Amino acid sequence: MFSLSAELQLHPLRIDGTEVRTVESLADGSTLSPVQEAFIEAGAFQCGYCTPGFVLMTTQLLERYPEPDDDQIRHYLSGNLCRCAAYPEIINAVKIAAQKRKVGKTT
């Protein structure tokens, strides 16, 4: 059995040469990532239980598909469930994040 203490899980880890990302590792110090900012701006959370998973999946989605359409967003995030039904806000957050990343790369 392999276990980690809670404080270790708050930092990027490498296991067998593979980086393990956490939602906390996306920020640069006190500066949130574009995806984290977008989720706040869009109000894409309610209880917050599913938010870390959606933020991490959105980050990976935008790395693979910088300008996803609605179908790509829905398909890519379909494995993460939101019991509060914040899906419209989550999809909007992904679009905001894509725009923020695009603008960030051109400035």
Side-chain angles (χ1 to χ4, degrees), residues 11-98:
H11 303 285
L13 302 173
R14 293 209 177 267
I15 299 174
D16 293 329
T18 301
E19 181 180 354
V20 176
R21 282 196 227 175
T22 65
V23 72
E24 294 85 1
S25 70
L26 297 178
D28 183 12
S30 62
T31 303
L32 298 177
S33 74
V35 174
Q36 290 169 314
E37 289 177 353
F39 269 70
I40 292 169
E41 288 176 26
F45 53 88
Q46 287 187 30
C47 76
Y49 186 79
C50 67
T51 306
F54 277 111
V55 169
L56 287 166
M57 290 301 296
T58 298
T59 300
Q60 186 177 24
L61 166 66
L62 295 177
E63 288 170 353
R64 292 184 182 180
Y65 307 101
E67 297 181 43
D69 61 32
D70 285 3
D71 289 336
Q72 288 174 312
I73 295 168
R74 285 187 184 94
H75 176 75
Y76 205 87
L77 301 181
S78 65
N80 203 15
L81 301 176
C82 174
R83 297 180 81 189
C84 300
Y87 293 110
E89 293 83 1
I90 292 167
I91 291 171
N92 189 37
V94 175
K95 293 176 181 178
I96 292 169

